[in-house]
Amino acid sequence: MALQKTFTLPSGVSGNYIRLVTHRWDRAARECSALFALYVDAAAASSGKAPLTPWIAKLWLTGAQFDFYLSNSELESPGVLAQLYVAAKAEPLSCDFGSDAFADALDV
């Protein structure tokens, strides 16, 4: 599970593979945060190479947003991760490339 879209960092280096690298999910508080890292490509990520940047975007879901994406008690870990990718394409992000930076990213 990942997203594909090309981003060029201020250093001039480009990458096109975005992967969820960590998340914190608190059902009792109805909040979740997730960090996404940028890699050169899928091969670099799969081979264990370090991302180009530790995180390119942060997603924060609370209250109604949390309920919409993550409140289903049937969700297991893979389901939660899949929902975070869905939310990252639809919800505002904290990202230097804009709050909708992943909106047109491809699911890969």
Side-chain angles (χ1 to χ4, degrees):
M1 223 178 290
L3 299 174
Q4 188 171 20
K5 180 178 176 178
T6 300
F7 291 97
T8 302
L9 300 175
S11 64
V13 177
S14 292
N16 71 1
Y17 191 79
I18 301 118
R19 181 184 282 172
L20 174 64
V21 290
T22 189
H23 73 287
R24 189 187 65 75
W25 181 38
D26 186 337
R27 185 184 302 247
R30 294 175 54 221
E31 63 184 28
C32 180
S33 61
L35 296 179
F36 295 83
L38 176 67
Y39 294 83
V40 170
D41 55 26
S46 295
S47 68
K49 291 188 178 179
L52 294 175
T53 181
W55 66 277
I56 189 171
K58 179 178 183 179
L59 173 68
W60 184 257
L61 301 173
T62 62
Q65 290 173 311
F66 177 91
D67 293 343
F68 182 78
Y69 292 102
L70 301 172
S71 68
N72 185 341
S73 62
E74 303 292 320
L75 288 175
E76 298 295 326
S77 184
V80 169
L81 300 180
Q83 286 299 99
L84 290 175
Y85 280 103
V86 170
K89 291 178 68 173
E91 297 297 330
L93 302 168
S94 174
C95 178
D96 289 342
F97 295 96
S99 62
D100 62 347
F102 295 168
D104 58 348
L106 299 175
D107 297 313
V108 294

